Amino acid sequence: MNRSQTHSTVVDHGVPVPANEGRTAAICKNESGDCRLVIAARGYVVIVNPNDRSCRQVAFPEQYVDYPFASYSSENGMFYTGAGYMFMVLDPFAGAFVDYAKPGLPGEIIGFSFTEDRDGKIYCASYPLCRLMKYDPGTKTLKVIGKLDPEEKYPFNLAIDQYGWLYAGIGTERITIAAFDLQLSQAQSLFPESGRVKGRGKVHLGEDGHVYGVLDVESEISAQQWFLLEQGKKIPVHADEVSRSSYSGAGFGAVHRSFPYPWILLEQSLSEKQVILQDESSGQTFTISLSYETDGADLSPLAAGPDGYVYGTSNHPLHFYRYDPHTNLVENYGGKMIENGGGGNICAYAVQGSLLVGAAYAGGHVHRIDTSRPFQIEWTEERNPKQISSCEEIHRPRCALAHPDGVHVIFGGYGGYGTVGGGLYILNVESGEDWLLTNDQLVRYHSTMCLVPLANGDILCGTSVEAPGGGKPKEAEARLYRLDWRTRQVIYSEVPIPGTTEIALMEIDHNGLVHAFTAEMYFVYDPQTRAVIHTREIGALGRIVRNGLVKDDASRIYGVRSRSIFRIDTDSFELIQLSTLATNITAGLALLDGRLYFASGKRLHSFDITAGK
């Protein structure tokens, strides 16, 4: 729990989530048979010694801070990882980084996947250009040796066969398995263009020394057909013939290699600050507590609950917290409070009655939080908060709306990895009945970023043409579209501001006019005449802030940009600046008892709006 500190009209409520997310992990064993578990996080690693149950935090070289995505335990016990533009080699037994390199590839993430050849050379791939790099531990040199795919962004995993061919699982829009001839430094796709659909290619080195691969697609086209990969060719095999990978777990919970007998790793969680091991010989389990220094986790969009509390989650890891304005206390409920939370965050909230309903990345998981009942997660049927559905069409949620009918909530956002365009998810919070409007039923190749209700119950929606999950945008300009609430059909769509790719925020005033924001512009739209009646460039106020608009009970509209807090004069269309902040605002926005609550990185702040009048 954190108490607040007041500075003039701005209150700093502290760091709600003093925890970090483990992004990748590996178990390293040296020639003596000694073992270490290494968990890599943003800016550091934690080395766990199972023998004395101790842990040690080691900062990245040069105090560099960025997110790692993958790691590798080499045959000689070294730990390899990458973060941002830095490639790193850790000796987990000495507790120190012994080498690092910066290849000088602006905008690329180094170390998105790893493998090792028979001579102990390490190979890693980068995102988003799918470059392949080779590291020689003897000479401590890292160099780019080729490209795995000319267009795709995600090299999910790597493996090398006994003949010196390297294979890469590629995704997400046009998946394949690439075969790379290490002698000629040439890559080729093992699948024809017609078979390259949405999903991800997967490869791994089996315990039998052979490489196996599969195309993991969302449709049933491949029916999970596995292949033996040898000498640049694919040979179909039955799933029962596939030897097990040395990786266990999935996503950021993946671990390379396993402990030798008798230890079994049951759980490793930097977020929950514990590692749980089992002694297979006795069946006993023991927990190793993890301690590390942290400035906390970044905060995601906030919500004003119907019970007078401020609610929110952190982002990587997802911890659920609540702030009490009356006691000035923040309570962190941890990562297990939200089902399937993991490394995501609840991005958008809507309130109907006593229910706070939120949609979470990754996966479009919809959670119902009943603020009239105590929180409990022990009993499935009575669980609160409770996940009630998942919707891949809003894999990355961006907006939510409580419909004026008092029973429905609507969510929009980006679709899943490799897709271009998202859907809308509609839920009746009383009956539980729900509807999914797919991208083809809305505006094709667009994702919905913001929603406002019109006087007759129709919904006006603002879109983005971006495709952050690896897809390639197919439209150039963001649109407004009107959804008929009765028929659930799009009545019209149009481009209000030529040249802009996203309409990020909207709110409707007491006159029925819609106030909207793009990255650089504020504009006012009249849905009756379908005309833009006012525009103004506002880049000087800072960047767009997610969930950065809110309306009070008197229909006054308040907003934040990254450096400003303002109120909209809905008669003159003036943006009345209430405060300019030295620190960046990164997520908004809840309004309770005359205070605006917002996030600045890892810290929760609030501002007294009455002081600006």
Side-chain angles (χ1 to χ4, degrees), residues 13 46 197 215 271 322 337 397 420 422 476-477 487 504 526 571 613:
H13 301 285
V46 171
V197 294
L215 294 186
S271 168
R322 182 176 71 180
M337 182 63 71
V420 183
E477 296 176 314
T487 65
D526 186 343
D571 294 321
K613 293 183 179 179

Side-chain angles (χ1 to χ4, degrees), residues 16-23 67 252 269-272 296-301 311-321 332-349 358-367 369 383 385 387 395 397:
V17 182
N20 291 140
E21 175 184 58
R23 302 280 292 206
Y67 284 111
F252 296 144
S269 175
L270 200 66
S271 168
E272 300 297 326
D298 288 332
L299 304 183
S300 294
Y311 289 88
T313 65
S314 57
N315 178 21
H316 293 291
L318 192 163
H319 279 204
F320 178 66
Y321 69 90
N332 177 18
Y333 292 95
K336 296 182 179 180
M337 182 63 71
I338 301 297
E339 297 176 86
N340 298 310
N345 62 326
I346 296 182
C347 317
Y349 300 87
Y361 167 83
H365 303 310
V366 178
H367 302 273
I369 305 164
R383 197 186 204 284
Q387 180 181 323
H395 183 91

Side-chain angles (χ1 to χ4, degrees), residues 147-225:
K147 203 171 183 184
L148 296 167
D149 191 273
E151 295 183 17
E152 290 303 298
K153 299 177 180 180
Y154 289 87
F156 288 110
N157 29 64
L158 304 176
I160 297 177
D161 70 17
Q162 55 189 315
Y163 303 100
W165 282 78
L166 180 143
Y167 305 90
I170 304 292
T172 56
E173 187 176 21
R174 296 166 51 257
I175 66 171
T176 192
I177 292 174
F180 190 92
D181 187 336
L182 293 174
Q183 298 299 317
L184 301 177
S185 295
Q186 293 179 349
Q188 64 186 45
S189 172
L190 293 183
F191 292 87
E193 193 65 28
S194 60
R196 299 189 63 174
V197 294
K198 185 176 64 175
R200 61 176 63 193
K202 295 181 180 179
V203 301
H204 73 259
L205 179 66
E207 294 178 343
D208 61 359
H210 295 288
V211 177
Y212 298 89
V214 66
L215 294 186
D216 187 4
V217 298
E218 294 184 6
S219 65
E220 298 180 357
I221 294 174
S222 70
Q224 294 292 304
Q225 173 62 62

Side-chain angles (χ1 to χ4, degrees), residues 495-536:
V495 175
I497 305 294
T500 191
T501 60
E502 178 177 295
I503 301 167
L505 299 169
M506 295 194 304
E507 188 56 86
I508 192 165
D509 69 18
H510 64 288
N511 295 316
L513 299 178
V514 175
H515 302 259
F517 292 82
T518 72
E520 299 291 337
M521 186 171 291
Y522 159 62
F523 70 93
V524 182
Y525 176 81
D526 186 343
Q528 297 300 316
T529 63
R530 291 174 54 179
V532 174
I533 60 175
H534 177 80
T535 62
R536 177 177 299 178

